[in-house]
């Protein structure tokens, strides 16, 4: 991984009326790095990405894309960016082939290359058999793949993907990630927003954001290790009652339901591990098991949102 | 240039793959023309006519005979004062009044030009315009035969001018808005509709469907986007103009008197402010429905006040002022002048200047407001 910074924002601010959707965002993405931008609905992910590709103009602050400043050199910057919008934004009345060729042509891909590049990308994306189909007649997953192929047709240095797997079934999501990784082959800086925590594990680095700011960032494993030993899994017969008991424990900070389990976040594990089984027993609630489990990114995420990142120092990006 | 070509290609595909809109664009004017044209096109014969013959000579009776031979006139009333002529026309009992001056015979005999006044009730423009040309033709034909007889009998002396000059004077509706004027009016209206609302819609559609987002992050320049958007509608507008003129001419015999080159040049000029308006609307509207609604406050006054349906001179003073602020007013004037009267460019310079000013202002405003961002 080279250390060249291809994408950078500096004190980026965007207000809509009096509301700050992006509130002093600072982040960097290096060449060859795939970074996840994770945050709840309304965190400002889409707004941030739109500012980076010049679809919105910032209220203040700058974006630097492959050495060009946005908004000052936005036209130059745009040539270096591939962007896949959260909402499907290709032309439904144009065929698959026409869509990708259109984007190839407006990005000035050499005439001799456009067709070949389009065919290559479409075949790779499994769309080779559908080149004549109108884009509106593709499934959601295929549309996302076509969007990705169109965003990559000009070999951008910076790739911005806004929830590229949103609203797509799990199999299609898997396929999408394989496709993305296969098509990248290093060199580009990639920033992907996603609401799916399981996907966040795929990134070199995850940036958590909420209320338009970065809460924390780091490699997934490193982030998870911060909650080492502080997540307990509890499986009991009467989940409602068990939850009440867990919430009453002084060292339990938070309780969440994961399927038929409860996840407890604790300030330390020892006390609750002793007290809660006893209380369950005296309340006559059968307990299947209670054990320490490794934290997931989702645990980290929930913790971050609830504490607004207080417990986390603002670390420098780990490149 | 390649970017621009790609954009044009895309816009043409959008247009051609939406056949319903395309059919609508071409069918609407034809339907309107057929409806209004046939509704107006009743056969004109035996129009009730009042005659005030102050000369009452053989020569003047010969003139009246040649009027009657056209079948357009039915001499229902003979009166003895100008006031009575007006009274009968006012009352609607006669639609045409023919006034022959006392010196008619003398003027013809001495090879001077004799004036004949034909008064027309313009309230029915179809009748009035048909009668107007019938009277002029009858007068000319009669004059020519009188002159050739004189030449044969007396040899070439005196003036060569036509001995009979038929002056027509239209009462109530001097612009004679009617079937002859329908085609220019329709051309102007259709151009206004296609250019303004379709351009606005074409851009707003991209916004509504979310495709604008992928489009603005490409290196396409704003002007490329704007020009590429409007070119298909310029083509459609020209095609429509040809179609309306063809139908108007072949089915309803609408005259095509002036220069077609001049006509199409000025259609092009008129499209500029009109497209500018469409672009301006597109910068303000968020949905196609909004865009459509926003064209209304401009479309309606344009139809009502530009002289398409009502003569401008019949409007209250304030509305006459408003009509001066509408590009359509100038364009209608230009179209009528060229198509119906066959005038050349020298007589419509002020209107051309006005349209140019509108074009600069509206396109300038649109270019200023049109930004390649989502906010
Ligand atoms: N054009 C706009 N005008 C006004 N407010 C806006 C606009 N765009 C976004 N917002 C607001 O800014 C905030 C951030 O929105 P944004 O779409 O960036 O969030 P997000 O993180 O992408 O959310 P999601 O996961 O739902 O896509 C939201 O509260 C949203 O309502
Ligand atoms: Mg979003």
């Amino acid at each position: 991984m080279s250390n060249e910074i291809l994408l950078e924002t500096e004190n980026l601010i965007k207000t809509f009326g009096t509301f700050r959707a992006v509130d002093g965002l600072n982040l960097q993405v290096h060449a060859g790095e795939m970074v996840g931008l994770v945050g709840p609905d309304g965190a400002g992910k889409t707004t941030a990405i739109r500012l980076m590709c010049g679809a919105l103009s910032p209220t203040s602050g700058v974006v630097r894309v492959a050495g060009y400043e946005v908004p000052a050199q936005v036209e130059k910057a745009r040539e270096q960016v591939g962007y896949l919008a959260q909402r499907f934004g290709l032309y439904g009345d144009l065929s698959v082939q026409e869509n990708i060729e259109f984007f190839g042509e407006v990005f000035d891909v050499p005439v001799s290359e456009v067709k070949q590049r389009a065919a290559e990308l479409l075949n790779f994306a499994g769309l080779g058999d559908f080149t004549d189909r109108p884009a509106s007649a593709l499934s959601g997953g295929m549309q996302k793949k076509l969007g990705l192929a169109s965003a990559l047709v000009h070999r951008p240095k910076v790739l911005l993907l806004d929830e590229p797997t949103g609203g797509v079934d799990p199999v299609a999501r898997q396929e999408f990630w394989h496709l993305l990784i296969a098509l990248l082959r290093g060199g580009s800086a990639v920033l992907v927003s996603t609401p799916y925590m399981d996907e966040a594990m795929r990134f070199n680095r995850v940036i958590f954001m909420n209320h338009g700011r970065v809460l924390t960032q780091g490699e997934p494993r490193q982030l998870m290790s911060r909650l080492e030993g502080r997540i307990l899994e509890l499986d009991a017969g009467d989940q409602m009652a068990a939850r009440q008991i867990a919430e009453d424990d002084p060292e339990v900070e938070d309780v969440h339901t994961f399927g038929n389990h409860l996840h407890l976040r604790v300030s330390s594990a020892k006390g609750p591990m002793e007290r809660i089984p006893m209380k369950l027993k005296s309340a006559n609630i059968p307990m299947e098991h209670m054990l320490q489990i490794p934290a997931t990114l989702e645990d980290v995420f929930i913790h971050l949102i609830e504490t607004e990142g207080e417990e986390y120092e603002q670390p420098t990006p780990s490149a | 240039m390649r970017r621009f070509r790609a954009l044009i290609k895309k816009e043409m595909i959008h247009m051609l793959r939406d056949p319903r809109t395309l059919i609508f664009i071409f069918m609407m004017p034809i339907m309107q023309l057929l409806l209004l044209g046939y509704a107006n096109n009743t056969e004109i014969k035996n129009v009730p006519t009042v005659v005030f013959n102050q000369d009452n000579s053989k020569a003047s009776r010969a003139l009246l005979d040649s009027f009657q031979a056209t079948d357009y006139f039915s001499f229902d009333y003979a009166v003895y004062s100008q006031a009575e002529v007006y009274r009968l026309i006012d009352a609607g009992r006669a639609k045409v009044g023919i006034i022959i001056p006392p010196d008619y015979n003398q003027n013809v005999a001495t090879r001077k030009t004799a004036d004949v006044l034909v008064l027309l009730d313009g309230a029915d423009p179809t009748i009035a315009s048909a009668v107007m040309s019938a009277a002029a033709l009858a007068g000319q034909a009669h004059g020519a035969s009188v002159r050739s007889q004189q030449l044969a009998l007396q040899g070439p002396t005196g003036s060569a001018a036509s001995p009979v000059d038929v002056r027509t004077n239209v009462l109530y509706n001097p612009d004679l808005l009617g079937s002859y004027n329908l085609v220019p009016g329709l051309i102007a209206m259709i151009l206004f509709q296609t250019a303004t609302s379709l351009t606005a819609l074409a851009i707003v559609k991209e916004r509504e469907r979310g495709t604008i987002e992928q489009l603005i992050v490409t290196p396409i320049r704003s002007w490329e986007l704007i020009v590429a958007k409007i070119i298909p509608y310029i083509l459609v507008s020209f095609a429509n103009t040809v179609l309306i003129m063809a139908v108007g001419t072949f089915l309803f015999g609408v005259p095509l008197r002036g220069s077609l080159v001049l006509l199409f040049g000025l259609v092009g000029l008129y499209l500029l402010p009109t497209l500018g308006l469409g672009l301006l609307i597109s910068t303000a509207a968020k949905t196609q429905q909004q865009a459509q609604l926003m064209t209304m406050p401009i479309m309606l006054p344009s139809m009502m006040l530009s002289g398409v349906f009502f003569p401008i001179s019949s409007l209250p003073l304030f509305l006459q002022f408003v009509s001066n602020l509408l590009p359509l007013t100038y364009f209608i004037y230009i179209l009528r002048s060229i198509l119906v009267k066959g005038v050349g460019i020298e007589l419509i310079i002020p209107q051309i200047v006005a349209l140019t000013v509108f074009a600069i202002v509206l396109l300038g405003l649109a270019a200023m407001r049109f930004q390649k961002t989502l906010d």
Side-chain angles (χ1 to χ4, degrees), chain B residues 3-19:
Chain B
R3 271 200 310 249
F4 189 61
R5 261 215 321 273
L7 267 174
I8 297 269
K9 189 172 127 198
K10 158 182 149 331
E11 296 302 330
M12 294 304 284
I13 294 178
H14 287 328
M15 194 169 75
L16 296 174
R17 296 227 174 118
D18 183 9

Side-chain angles (χ1 to χ4, degrees), chain A residues 45-47 86 162-163 193:
Chain A
K45 306 182 292 291
T46 297
T47 309
Q86 181 169 358
D162 194 1
E163 298 197 17
S193 82

Side-chain angles (χ1 to χ4, degrees), chain A residues 14 55 83 87 91 93 109, chain B residues 2 17 206 208 213 375:
Chain A
K14 178 69 185 180
Y83 170 53
R87 183 177 161 198
Y91 295 98
D93 54 344
V109 177
Chain B
R2 184 137 162 275
R17 296 227 174 118
E206 296 243 13
E208 211 176 40
E213 193 168 352
D375 40 11

Side-chain angles (χ1 to χ4, degrees), chain B residues 217-281:
Chain B
V217 298
T218 67
I220 294 168
R221 305 288 187 268
S222 300
W223 72 263
E224 291 175 321
L225 194 61
I226 291 179
V227 177
K229 277 281 169 211
I230 65 185
I231 279 185
Y233 295 105
I234 291 184
L235 294 180
V236 164
S237 299
F238 274 113
N240 237 334
T241 308
V242 173
L243 189 66
I244 300 168
M245 288 199 325
V247 173
T249 310
F250 291 122
L251 282 186
F252 302 114
V254 169
L256 283 185
R257 297 221 172 89
S259 146
L260 287 187
V261 177
L262 180 62
L263 180 82
F264 280 102
L266 292 178
V267 166
L269 175 64
Y270 173 65
L271 283 175
L272 299 179
T274 314
L275 293 166
L277 191 62
L279 287 172
L280 258 183
I281 289 172

